[in-house]
Amino acid sequence: VTGATAGTSHTYQVRAVNAKGPSTAVQVSVSEPSAPAAPTGGAATGAWGVGSAYPVTLTWTDVATTETSYTIKKTVGATVTTYTAAANATSYTDNSVTVTSGAGGNAGTQISYQIIATSAVTGDSAPLDVSITLPATPAAPTGGSASGSWVGQTTSYRVVLSWTGSSGAASYVIK
């Protein structure tokens, strides 16, 4: 069919013909494939990585049967970045996200994602929209102190560090 449109149905009549004329027609119908079904049940979750890294994992239910890949569009303010996940995927991790606080930081910023089942033949599904708001980085610990003492008659020296923890801290890095 020339000028095909996804989801359009076509009906044809088929007749056998010989010198005595045509037979009775049989009707056959065919529908052109539709765009893939949109993914469902999406979520965006983040977890602190190393330093200010905050990888965001997107998850969804793959209900499409004709997708060739998934297109993921990330929007932060006016900036749109596009990623690709394989056909039949149910997750994607955006490792490019970092969180900074203070003046000019991005803590509290909302990141929006659209997850789209894509087909080179029939077009794209409707988007599944998910978003995440970047958390604030924890405040610095306070009241730090250090003390040391020799361990017995050896050459070992024990150092004890202490501080007041900060709300929202999952762990502490000591360098």
Side-chain angles (χ1 to χ4, degrees), residues 1-143:
V1 175
T2 303
T5 303
T8 301
S9 179
H10 301 276
T11 302
Y12 300 92
Q13 292 184 354
V14 181
R15 297 176 192 261
V17 179
N18 66 14
K20 296 200 180 222
S23 69
T24 305
V26 63
Q27 286 194 349
V28 292
S29 296
V30 63
S31 293
E32 295 173 26
S34 296
T40 61
T45 55
W48 287 106
V50 177
S52 61
Y54 194 76
V56 174
T57 299
L58 309 174
T59 57
W60 63 89
T61 301
D62 173 23
V63 295
T65 57
T66 60
E67 82 276 17
T68 53
S69 65
Y70 278 93
T71 299
I72 298 159
K73 294 182 180 180
K74 169 184 167 183
T75 303
V76 182
T79 303
V80 178
T81 307
T82 302
Y83 306 103
T84 302
N88 302 317
T90 57
S91 68
Y92 178 84
T93 300
D94 179 0
N95 289 307
S96 70
V97 179
T98 58
V99 177
T100 55
S101 59
N106 67 350
T109 299
Q110 182 173 345
I111 301 177
S112 299
Y113 293 90
Q114 288 188 320
I115 305 164
I116 304 163
T118 305
S119 169
V121 176
T122 60
D124 298 345
S125 73
L128 172 63
D129 295 319
V130 296
S131 64
I132 189 167
T133 300
L134 298 181
T137 55
T142 59

